[in-house]
Amino acid sequence: MSEDPFAQPRRYPSTIGGVCYLVMLAVTLTGIALTAFVDWRIGVRVVAGSLLGLAVLRGLMPTHEAGMLAVRSRPVDVGLLTVVGALLIFLAGTIPEQPALPLAP
């Protein structure tokens, strides 16, 4: 089989899972921006929410449609995404506020 030298590479995801992955990537980047510029707890919760959303999508989506969401087996993917998302929410809620450091004169 020879490849067509004039074929254009595809610039869009070929599965529903690929589209979901890109949407959740955008949500995660928004959470990172919130962490950096607004409130770290809100940003971490947004990132955790995107991970939990990916876990739900990976659990419901057939493997042949999962695309970039299917890295390992379904139970492993769903379990890891759920555990990391839940831990981030737990940590964001339980880490106590730290006193502000005084600015140097």
Side-chain angles (χ1 to χ4, degrees):
M1 282 171 100
S2 64
E3 292 190 26
D4 183 8
F6 300 107
Q8 295 291 323
R10 186 175 53 222
R11 296 188 183 270
Y12 55 89
S14 62
T15 62
I16 296 170
V19 173
C20 295
Y21 177 84
L22 293 176
V23 169
M24 290 300 175
L25 181 63
V27 172
T28 300
L29 291 175
T30 302
I32 291 170
L34 288 171
T35 300
F37 299 114
V38 180
D39 181 23
W40 72 270
R41 290 180 195 273
I42 294 170
V44 168
R45 287 181 178 132
V46 169
V47 171
S50 71
L51 291 174
L52 293 173
L54 283 175
V56 169
L57 290 172
R58 176 65 175 114
L60 297 176
M61 202 172 294
T63 302
H64 69 277
E65 284 292 330
M68 294 185 283
L69 295 180
V71 178
R72 298 161 211 84
S73 68
R74 184 181 304 198
V76 173
D77 285 340
V78 171
L80 287 174
L81 289 167
T82 302
V83 167
V84 173
L87 282 175
L88 284 174
I89 289 174
F90 173 76
L91 290 173
T94 58
I95 294 176
E97 288 291 334
Q98 302 295 316
L101 296 175
L103 297 176

